[in-house]
Amino acid sequence: MSRKINHYLIIDGYNIINAWEELKNLARTDLEHAREKLINDVIEYAEFTGKKAIVVFDAYNVKGFREKIEQRKYITVVYTKEHQTADSYIEKYITSLSKYDDVKVATNDYAEQQIVLGKGASRISSRELKLDLDHARNKMREQNSSSTKKIQRNWLEERLDKETLSKLENIRRMR
């Protein structure tokens, strides 16, 4: 009996935002926009790769905040409850998965990376995540451009001999 292996990418959202210069600069003026940019990049990646992606943002210091889980196109976005870190949510989530699942956690937090490894998942740094997302985006562009190149016009005049074309042209003009 073979098991279906699920592929997961779990992302410590604020850790990645603070690690990527573009998002960190954006977050200084508009944190919501930085979150949405990260989420949209991950949606695009998950759609292309087929991985189940979970982006976790912690609401550790938000008074009275209750856990909120949003199902978005191809991904899940989690906002943890008050007093819960993204790290603790990720650790608990990994524990709930099958030991046969392929689980990668994107974070630059060294302590979290060690815990993730101890739970049987693998870790990728924010830099590796950026490279993976960029690589997937480039592959999508290649596929899109090659599929548009394959669409060629199929003109009748390119397939008929000159005599037949001439006869058809004469018929057209007689109308």
Side-chain angles (χ1 to χ4, degrees), residues 74-85:
Y74 304 104
I75 74 167
T76 303
V77 180
V78 176
Y79 298 90
T80 67
K81 61 188 173 190
E82 179 185 10
H83 301 302
Q84 183 180 26
T85 64

Side-chain angles (χ1 to χ4, degrees), residues 16 105-108 113 123-130:
I16 299 302
V105 177
T107 182
N108 274 357
Q113 290 175 352
R123 60 105 189 136
I124 62 173
S125 68
S126 64
R127 183 178 168 279
E128 291 169 305
L129 177 64
K130 182 83 169 129

